[in-house]
Amino acid sequence: MMQLLKKLLLVSACTLPTISYAIDVEPANWWVGMNKNTITIMVHEQNIANEQIKLAKYNGVKLNKVTRTDNPNYVFLNITITDAAKAGTLEFNSSETSNNFEFPLLKRDKNSAQRQGFTSADTLYLINPDRFANGDKQNDSVPSMLEAADPSTKGGRHGGDIQGVINALPYLNNLGVTQLWLTPVLENNMPNYSYHGYAITDFYKVDPRMGSNQLYKTLSVKAKEQGIGLVMDMVLNHFGSEHTWVNDKPTKDWINFNGEFKKGKNATSHARQTIQDPHASEYDKRQFNDGWFVETMPDLNQRQPLLSEYLIQNAIWWIEYADLSGIRVDTYSYSDKAFLSDWTKAIMQEYPNFNIVGEEWTSNPAIASYWQRGKHNQDGYTSSLPSVMDFSLQESVIQALNEEESWNTGWVKVCESLANDFLYPDTNNIMVFADNHDMSRVYTELGQDVAKTKMAMTLLLTTRGIAQMYYGTEVLLDNTPSKDHGDIRIDFPGGFKGQTRNAFTGEGLTKQQKVMHNTISTLLNFRKSSPALDKGKLVHFTPQQGVYSYARVSDEQTVLVFMNKNTKELTKNIEYMQEVIPKNTKALNLFTHKIQVLGNTVALPAMSATVLIINTSQ
């Protein structure tokens, strides 16, 4: 959309800014046979509201209403596409001949509505595309974009792109990845710090420094050929200050706090507990939901019906266009909660087997579980969000490995976190992770201790829920001693010219990096086919002697996991686990590949995780 903006003309203090640009239509198309068959098309063009727009006769399609707002540069066309409609092209005619436009109706892919979203059988691999791999040097800097490539600056653009991810697909498949979560690749035409992707300036266009809409679709196709799904990172709460909407709002209430940022007055409080707090004031609720993050990220008012509809359609459009298998929603709870209920419901009605995970950054499971589908909340709030992120477990794992063992420190923190699962309606649909793009890397948090990092990743890849791993964890990427996001989002080794180490080929990697890579690959590939890790019941035991032990139990398979924090090998009596271990059972050690008969004891190497597999269906 920003490419359509040609120039700002003279602005009067008491009138809307007058802008000159070509006609812009969003979405650019729709599909026949959709559950959501009534949509609203946003048309943006100078003084378009002063024109009469009509739909040329088309069997099965009706123009219900033309909505004009307080801004004459927008009209909203509400149409219904009935089952009688066939794929083709709608023609909209205006009283100004030059503003006629076409609107394609496309045929849906077969079984599109029944697509399978990511599940507990999957591992999502989180990538910051700008920092992963540069597959096309030609798009590092684009003349129409405000920020050019600057690889030497932490917060600058380094040149990674969608083509780089496409090139890496065989590597990711071999590693054992089954889903890709890319931080936003949509246009972020901001003057600086645009690489992270969360200041979107066009919700329907891939940033040209990342590639194109067609290339993003190609990534989805090629990923599926490797058995990998594509998860889109969506931002509903805010957008970039260089978006057309800032100077030319579709309605006067499109942006919260009248579209103005006043430091200290309308910045978000981040007090997320106000949403669930039965005693919270309306003032505090508004400060959290309506407040801006920063001046460069204006806060969207999802209570505006036309904006709400825009965001719902945008999500469904991308799922259908790019054949997505999931959505991750940034800063989930910051958006209006009634809108979030409508947004998730519309998507899940369109795609009943789809999955959406919301980011609710809290270590309090009582707050996180509020948002999961099926939760009976005290205030009557109903959510259709299938999955939430488990920040509680992430924090507990780091604490457990860094603390000495006692009655209230160490492994007991993990037990206490998982004991709160009674708050969640669907514990298998919770996303677990060791780190992500907004926090220090797990290897850094664990003091660059490889043994601890292996234990952390083994736990998170064998406990209940959906696993998510941050790119480069498999080769011990590290941001010590910095907490700067530019260091956390470090360049992936082998993805950029001039690097001495290459994770894709193994060239130049240290022995420890190779060991970690092998550990991760073993775990991820086991997850692909393990019924116990997919749907198996989690049974864990109170820590003993510095050991945390648990089992994943399904009809076909039992997986036993032992986390030994002791600095010496331990012969552990496991009679207390007999409820999940048949006597004289043979088990396969996942890491050593040795078969052993399980008796009353098991030998646990020092500072390590032991994973034993019992196939009970044989």
Side-chain angles (χ1 to χ4, degrees):
M1 192 191 306
M2 292 299 291
Q3 281 63 48
L4 301 173
L5 182 60
K6 294 180 178 178
K7 64 179 180 178
L8 283 171
L9 301 179
L10 183 63
V11 178
S12 169
C14 59
T15 61
L16 286 167
T18 302
I19 298 178
S20 177
Y21 44 78
I23 192 168
D24 184 32
V25 178
E26 295 182 330
N29 68 275
W30 205 248
W31 293 264
V32 295
M34 300 287 283
N35 181 73
K36 186 167 180 55
N37 63 353
T38 296
I39 64 168
T40 301
I41 304 169
M42 183 174 78
V43 184
H44 187 203
E45 205 274 337
Q46 185 175 338
N47 292 321
I48 189 71
N50 296 328
E51 301 175 18
Q52 298 299 313
I53 299 178
K54 295 182 179 180
L55 170 64
K57 187 175 181 180
Y58 193 98
N59 187 44
V61 180
K62 178 185 177 183
L63 175 60
N64 303 312
K65 183 171 63 173
V66 178
T67 300
R68 293 170 174 82
T69 71
D70 46 83
N71 186 341
N73 297 331
Y74 291 88
V75 292
F76 293 84
L77 311 177
N78 184 265
I79 66 171
T80 295
I81 306 160
T82 70
D83 292 340
K86 304 295 183 184
T89 302
L90 304 183
E91 294 182 4
F92 288 92
N93 302 313
S94 73
S95 54
E96 295 288 335
T97 307
S98 61
N99 288 329
N100 293 346
F101 65 91
E102 296 181 341
F103 188 84
L105 291 182
L106 307 180
K107 182 180 179 181
R108 299 183 80 179
D109 290 340
K110 187 178 180 181
N111 299 321
S112 174
Q114 300 304 317
R115 70 183 63 234
Q116 179 60 59
F118 60 84
T119 71
S120 54
D122 285 310
T123 302
L124 279 73
Y125 190 83
L126 166 58
I127 293 175
N128 290 114
D130 181 69
R131 305 301 169 87
F132 186 65
N134 190 343
D136 183 2
K137 294 284 292 182
Q138 299 300 313
N139 65 13
D140 290 1
S141 295
V142 175
S144 61
M145 296 289 101
L146 295 174
E147 186 178 19
D150 187 6
S152 63
T153 302
K154 290 180 182 181
R157 300 193 73 94
H158 290 193
D161 49 33
I162 294 171
Q163 186 60 53
V165 180
I166 292 173
N167 296 344
L169 288 172
Y171 164 81
L172 296 171
N173 182 27
N174 289 333
L175 185 65
V177 172
T178 59
Q179 300 281 340
L180 285 180
W181 159 20
L182 274 58
T183 53
V185 296
L186 300 186
E187 183 190 272
N188 269 240
N189 196 12
M190 302 292 287
N192 51 60
Y193 203 65
S194 65
Y195 80 92
H196 59 75
Y198 291 97
I200 295 170
T201 55
D202 191 328
F203 283 89
Y204 279 99
K205 181 183 179 184
V206 167
D207 194 296
R209 292 161 297 190
M210 288 287 172
S212 64
N213 285 21
Q214 183 57 51
L215 190 65
Y216 185 69
K217 191 171 185 177
T218 298
L219 167 63
S220 181
V221 171
K222 291 187 175 295
K224 281 180 173 55
E225 291 173 357
Q226 298 277 346
I228 299 173
L230 183 60
V231 176
M232 191 175 209
D233 198 336
M234 291 192 176
V235 188
L236 307 176
N237 177 68
H238 52 267
F239 65 113
S241 58
E242 295 296 324
H243 196 295
T244 303
W245 290 343
V246 170
N247 291 315
D248 198 20
K249 296 189 291 291
T251 66
K252 62 183 179 182
D253 59 348
W254 201 260
I255 304 171
N256 282 321
F257 285 104
N258 298 315
E260 297 179 2
F261 179 76
K262 296 179 181 178
K263 192 173 183 180
K265 290 188 177 182
N266 63 352
T268 181
S269 65
H270 297 291
R272 54 183 31 82
Q273 75 282 353
T274 58
I275 303 302
Q276 294 82 13
D277 182 358
H279 316 295
S281 66
E282 292 303 316
Y283 170 83
D284 284 335
K285 292 177 183 178
R286 183 175 184 235
Q287 286 301 118
F288 170 65
N289 275 138
D290 292 5
W292 297 26
F293 276 30
V294 290
E295 188 172 6
T296 54
M297 291 182 175
D299 201 80
L300 289 166
N301 175 22
Q302 300 90 9
R303 293 181 298 275
Q304 213 306 319
L306 293 169
L307 173 58
S308 173
E309 181 74 353
Y310 179 97
L311 293 172
I312 290 169
Q313 290 175 180
N314 180 255
I316 293 173
W317 188 90
W318 278 112
I319 296 168
E320 197 73 21
Y321 173 81
D323 196 17
L324 302 178
S325 61
I327 294 172
R328 179 264 183 182
V329 185
D330 181 62
T331 56
Y332 187 80
S333 64
Y334 288 79
S335 296
D336 178 75
K337 72 176 189 178
F339 157 76
L340 289 171
S341 182
D342 293 340
W343 186 86
T344 52
K345 182 179 179 181
I347 294 171
M348 297 310 297
Q349 284 181 337
E350 192 72 57
Y351 309 99
N353 302 318
F354 197 65
N355 210 344
I356 310 168
V357 60
E359 179 199 27
E360 173 62 304
W361 194 330
T362 176
S363 58
N364 185 348
I367 293 176
S369 64
Y370 177 88
W371 300 106
Q372 193 178 33
R373 179 175 60 187
K375 183 68 180 286
H376 297 288
N377 291 305
Q378 183 190 48
D379 63 359
Y381 181 72
T382 301
S383 174
S384 295
L385 179 71
S387 179
V388 292
M389 301 175 75
D390 196 345
F391 283 89
S392 171
L393 186 59
Q394 184 275 331
E395 181 179 287
S396 299
V397 169
I398 300 300
Q399 289 176 344
L401 285 162
N402 282 334
E403 294 176 345
E404 295 294 326
E405 288 295 307
S406 74
W407 69 274
N408 66 345
T409 59
W411 287 126
V412 70
K413 294 288 182 67
V414 173
C415 288
E416 290 174 345
S417 177
L418 289 168
N420 285 315
D421 275 5
F422 73 92
L423 293 166
Y424 293 97
D426 187 358
T427 53
N428 243 22
N429 212 356
I430 300 172
M431 183 169 289
V432 299
F433 56 100
D435 55 10
N436 63 29
H437 58 300
D438 287 325
M439 58 178 66
S440 281
R441 288 178 171 273
V442 59
Y443 182 56
T444 304
E445 287 293 292
L446 295 176
Q448 300 173 303
D449 188 311
V450 177
K452 287 183 178 180
T453 305
K454 288 170 67 176
M455 277 194 280
M457 295 308 299
T458 301
L459 193 158
L460 290 161
L461 292 171
T462 56
T463 192
R464 56 89 176 114
I466 304 158
Q468 174 250 298
M469 189 180 81
Y470 194 28
Y471 79 96
T473 299
E474 71 271 27
V475 288
L476 299 171
L477 289 192
D478 182 23
N479 56 279
T480 304
S482 170
K483 298 288 186 180
D484 188 279
H485 279 185
D487 290 318
I488 293 170
R489 303 160 187 174
I490 189 173
D491 290 351
F492 188 78
F496 300 85
K497 186 177 180 180
Q499 293 173 306
T500 58
R501 294 177 180 174
N502 190 326
F504 296 123
T505 64
E507 182 181 359
L509 297 184
T510 66
K511 181 180 178 180
Q512 288 184 329
Q513 286 178 310
K514 291 179 179 179
V515 168
M516 190 67 195
H517 188 282
N518 182 64
T519 299
I520 294 295
S521 181
T522 298
L523 286 162
L524 295 193
N525 281 288
F526 176 55
R527 281 184 61 83
K528 284 184 176 182
S529 59
S530 170
L533 296 188
D534 179 11
K535 298 296 184 183
K537 178 183 178 182
L538 172 64
V539 180
H540 68 167
F541 299 84
T542 302
Q544 301 178 7
Q545 300 172 277
V547 176
Y548 174 49
S549 52
Y550 57 94
R552 299 293 307 281
V553 183
S554 70
D555 291 341
E556 305 92 343
Q557 185 184 68
T558 295
V559 175
L560 306 177
V561 184
F562 301 90
M563 297 284 169
N564 180 20
K565 272 174 63 179
N566 294 284
T567 55
K568 294 182 180 179
E569 180 178 316
L570 179 68
T571 299
K572 179 68 176 164
N573 188 302
I574 57 172
E575 289 182 307
Y576 66 93
M577 297 182 69
Q578 290 310 308
E579 65 187 86
V580 294
I581 310 175
K583 286 190 175 182
N584 301 316
T585 297
K586 289 184 178 180
L588 173 68
N589 189 303
L590 178 65
F591 297 124
T592 66
H593 308 296
K594 293 181 180 179
I595 297 176
Q596 63 187 87
V597 176
L598 291 178
N600 293 330
T601 63
V602 62
L604 304 176
M607 288 297 294
S608 68
T610 300
V611 179
L612 302 177
I613 307 163
I614 304 168
N615 290 316
T616 54
S617 60
Q618 296 180 355

